[in-house]
Amino acid sequence: MRLRALLETDALGLRLLGGGDELDRSVRGVMTTDLRDPSRYLSGGELVLTGLAWRRDATDSEPFVRILAAAGVAGLAAGEAELGDIPGDLVEACARHRLPLFAVHETVAFATITEHVVRQVSGERAGDLAAVVDRHRRLMTSGPAGGGPEVVLDLLGSDLDLHAWVLSPTGRQIAGAGDTPLAGPVGAALAGHHLAATRTGRRAPHRATVGGTTYSLFPIRNTGRGTVPASRDVRESVLSDWLLAVEADASDWPPARLDLLQGVTQLIAVERDRRDAARTVRRRLAQEVLELVQTGAPPAEIAARLRVAAPVLLPGLGTAPHWQVVVARVEWGGAEGSAATGAPAGSPDSAVAGGPVAQALLEEILIDPAVTGPDSADRIAVAHTGDEAVALVPLPAVTAPVPAHDAGPDAAPAESAAAEDRALHADVLLAVIREPLSAGLAEDGRLTLGVSAAVHSPEGLRGALEEARHARRVAAARPGRVCAAGHHELASHVLLLPFVPDDVRRAFTARLLDPLRDYDRRHRAELIPTLETFLDCDGSWTRCASRLHLHVNTLRYRVGRIEQLTGRDLSRLEDKLDFFLALRMS
């Protein structure tokens, strides 16, 4: 309950003397004291009742109020029976410490206030929450018109002073109460805490502190009809389950309250299942297109299928969009992931099906993180085959007309460039998902993503699929739990380097760089940094010397020493290229 509610209860005889802007503070209990220092009996959140017997003169008010404020009490209520009017020094001290102060009429016993607070805080909380669950159960079972997860979160806030948000595994806000969204970095951090705790098998709710605020994290899993048995491997769902983040410490909640919060998560899970069912059509469309592309179907047949898909994925648009393909693979210790996870290929971990996990994960991570709500995935169609998931992502056609002077041969390239501007980029996706999903993958899982360029015709889809698969293989050759690569990397030396055998890498880099490293270690000469900067400046003496804050003659001496130690000539393109590749592979 809040202080405001006490003030509005006439039977309590409270009169506000200060702190009107703090009336939304929550009251967790009540304490009556006339001790000069009651701090040992305070735990925070109490309404303190006092008869002022501790006050001898005006100098006593400041230390007393300072002690209460430091203990985090919700407010102070002083009785008028002893001194009549409340002393001004007490009013001033409370104002300085932003502590709400009430006067209690002499006809009201402290026992009356105590009984009321105890009854409201402890006795009725479980009943209030049960009423919330019952009210929302009726709302949600009546169909989508019930309002979705936002309704139950609003009720938790209005009835129980609990601020809560529904988050995706990447920390994206799916639903929240009121107009206070959860900051993106906070959501990502909470999702990471939740995924890490889930992988270790710790019992929910999980406690997490982010930015000085404590949250309790509840998994959202439907335990009703049609659900997977609870004995399933946690890795089958950890990367796709939603979570409920509550701004409170649930570690001291009674079992009845925890059970009722679990009921709230089940209600939200019902809504999750309802919305997941709506993805069935999009998944089927993606599966049909994928099968046509992989079997080499005629472009006309693929185009016909895309015309069916376009209105579903982009309702209201009459023009065919550009398309982009994203390929994802989730592996648990086997195949390509064995090197990164340390598990041998063919180990039992690889028995966990990766395709459905990757499919559900792609449906989440391809959503714009700036968009809240579960329906923002309506333009993404994802299929899976084996351990691989393939997403067909439409890019809406440019609505602005092409100027007359741009029409003609240059119009198509201009349109393609505009589509590329709206396309998904591997590095952007990676920045959003790497931190939380790495926690869920723990020590035995790996996610790799490949992103194609945008294509504007059915003929281009087969190439886009192969391009995305090649990019994913480039990502798989890199270290890390979550890796992604885009189509632009396929036209670079970056494509080749990951596939160079380790023994060849080591021999090549050792032959070129070890003499320089040894010299640097013995003489602190910084030949390696000098070489890197020289190549980065395209061999420009002036620019390199300026960047290193060296005289050009000093730079020439260092480069000469590099050439002497390695037997190479940095004026030759071949030797520059060898040094460049050695630095990249080291």
Side-chain angles (χ1 to χ4, degrees):
M1 67 178 303
R2 302 189 182 189
L3 289 174
R4 189 181 306 279
L6 293 175
L7 186 62
E8 294 170 351
T9 304
D10 295 337
L12 300 182
L14 296 178
R15 179 165 52 90
L16 183 65
L17 299 180
D21 55 346
E22 302 288 340
L23 292 179
D24 285 329
R25 292 187 181 186
S26 296
V27 180
R28 300 178 184 174
V30 63
M31 176 190 177
T32 300
T33 184
D34 275 314
L35 295 174
R36 297 170 65 86
D37 182 3
S39 57
R40 72 183 68 180
Y41 305 109
L42 297 172
S43 58
E46 297 92 349
L47 173 67
V48 174
L49 305 176
T50 181
L52 300 178
W54 50 266
R55 182 183 180 277
R56 298 171 184 172
D57 55 46
T59 61
D60 291 336
S61 294
E62 171 64 25
F64 181 77
V65 173
R66 184 170 60 249
I67 289 170
L68 298 187
V73 304
L76 174 64
E80 296 179 326
E82 183 71 20
L83 301 178
D85 293 337
I86 305 302
D89 49 87
L90 180 60
V91 176
E92 294 171 1
C94 288
R96 281 193 298 271
H97 292 278
R98 301 183 63 83
L99 182 65
L101 176 63
F102 304 90
V104 182
H105 195 271
E106 61 181 4
T107 60
V108 178
F110 283 175
T112 302
I113 299 175
T114 300
E115 181 182 354
H116 178 84
V117 172
V118 170
R119 185 174 62 250
Q120 294 295 319
V121 171
S122 60
E124 295 184 357
R125 276 294 178 91
D128 288 345
L129 188 53
V132 170
V133 174
D134 183 64
R135 286 161 61 189
H136 196 66
R137 191 186 307 278
R138 292 195 300 270
L139 284 171
M140 295 187 73
T141 55
S142 65
E150 289 82 1
V151 174
V152 71
L153 299 184
D154 283 334
L155 291 173
L156 287 175
S158 61
D159 289 21
L160 298 173
D161 294 336
L162 290 176
H163 302 288
W165 301 266
V166 177
L167 304 177
S168 77
T170 63
R172 182 180 65 87
Q173 180 176 317
I174 294 169
D179 300 325
T180 307
L182 198 64
V186 176
L190 291 177
H193 278 292
H194 174 73
L195 293 175
T198 301
R199 284 304 311 274
T200 59
R202 297 212 310 266
R203 186 175 180 178
H206 310 305
R207 184 179 182 274
T209 301
V210 178
T213 302
T214 299
Y215 300 86
S216 295
L217 310 176
F218 296 81
I220 296 177
R221 302 187 187 119
N222 189 4
T223 58
R225 294 175 54 189
T227 58
V228 181
S231 60
R232 67 181 179 180
D233 193 314
V234 69
R235 291 170 296 184
E236 296 178 16
S237 62
V238 66
L239 299 180
S240 58
D241 282 344
W242 291 355
L243 66 134
L244 177 68
V246 181
E247 188 179 324
D249 186 352
S251 59
D252 58 352
W253 284 4
R257 166 171 280 212
L258 290 173
D259 289 344
L260 290 168
L261 255 295
Q262 295 294 348
V264 170
T265 65
Q266 291 177 26
L267 294 177
I268 299 174
V270 171
E271 183 68 8
R272 165 75 186 269
D273 291 344
R274 178 183 294 137
R275 295 177 190 259
D276 280 351
R279 294 180 175 177
T280 303
V281 174
R282 297 195 299 277
R283 286 180 172 180
R284 187 172 66 248
L285 288 172
Q287 199 73 42
E288 292 173 354
V289 173
L290 177 62
E291 291 174 359
L292 290 174
V293 171
Q294 290 190 133
T295 57
E301 187 175 354
I302 299 176
R305 183 57 56 193
L306 290 178
R307 283 195 294 272
V308 173
V312 175
L313 300 179
L314 294 171
L317 296 182
T319 56
H322 289 69
W323 299 92
Q324 201 171 8
V325 176
V326 181
V327 172
R329 191 180 183 97
V330 175
E331 295 167 303
W332 302 104
E336 293 174 355
S338 60
T341 62
S347 66
D349 282 347
S350 61
V352 179
V357 176
Q359 181 182 43
L361 193 55
L362 265 188
E363 289 172 335
E364 161 57 32
I365 66 180
L366 294 182
I367 301 172
D368 184 349
V371 177
T372 59
D375 288 330
S376 53
D378 286 346
R379 296 183 177 182
I380 299 167
V382 186
H384 77 83
T385 171
D387 287 334
E388 179 186 75
V390 179
L392 190 63
V393 182
L395 304 176
V398 181
T399 56
V402 178
H405 63 273
D406 286 342
D410 294 334
E415 185 180 351
S416 296
E420 186 65 25
D421 288 341
R422 302 188 309 279
L424 297 166
H425 296 279
D427 54 345
V428 176
L429 288 177
L430 192 60
V432 174
I433 67 176
R434 176 186 281 155
E435 179 183 351
L437 293 186
S438 294
L441 291 162
E443 297 301 320
D444 60 346
R446 196 149 191 256
L447 167 67
T448 51
L449 295 166
V451 182
S452 80
V455 296
H456 65 279
S457 66
E459 292 88 345
L461 274 181
R462 185 176 181 85
L465 177 60
E466 291 304 315
E467 191 173 59
R469 283 175 169 163
H470 281 307
R472 192 207 64 79
R473 284 192 285 270
V474 169
R478 296 171 175 167
R481 293 286 156 204
V482 182
C483 297
H487 61 91
H488 62 283
E489 298 183 55
L490 302 184
S492 168
H493 66 279
V494 177
L495 173 64
L496 302 176
L497 296 185
F499 300 101
V500 177
D502 288 342
D503 56 342
V504 176
R505 282 171 176 257
R506 286 191 294 269
F508 183 74
T509 57
R511 187 167 59 251
L512 275 178
L513 301 183
D514 279 1
L516 305 182
R517 292 184 179 124
D518 291 342
Y519 190 88
D520 281 348
R521 188 164 46 249
R522 286 184 283 110
H523 300 282
R524 298 181 181 179
E526 298 187 351
L527 295 184
I528 291 288
T530 300
L531 176 61
E532 291 175 330
T533 306
F534 185 73
L535 294 176
D536 191 49
C537 292
D538 298 323
S540 169
W541 297 97
T542 304
R543 281 193 289 129
C544 182
S546 175
R547 185 178 299 182
L548 292 173
H549 304 291
L550 297 174
H551 192 277
V552 172
N553 289 341
T554 305
L555 175 61
R556 290 185 185 277
Y557 172 81
R558 288 189 182 181
V559 170
R561 180 63 67 182
I562 292 171
E563 293 174 335
Q564 181 185 19
L565 291 169
T566 61
R568 298 299 185 107
D569 183 355
L570 278 169
S571 66
R572 288 166 39 88
L573 176 62
E574 297 94 322
D575 289 341
K576 286 181 181 176
L577 181 59
D578 283 349
F579 276 123
F580 175 80
L581 293 175
L583 289 168
R584 284 299 182 96
M585 288 191 293
S586 64

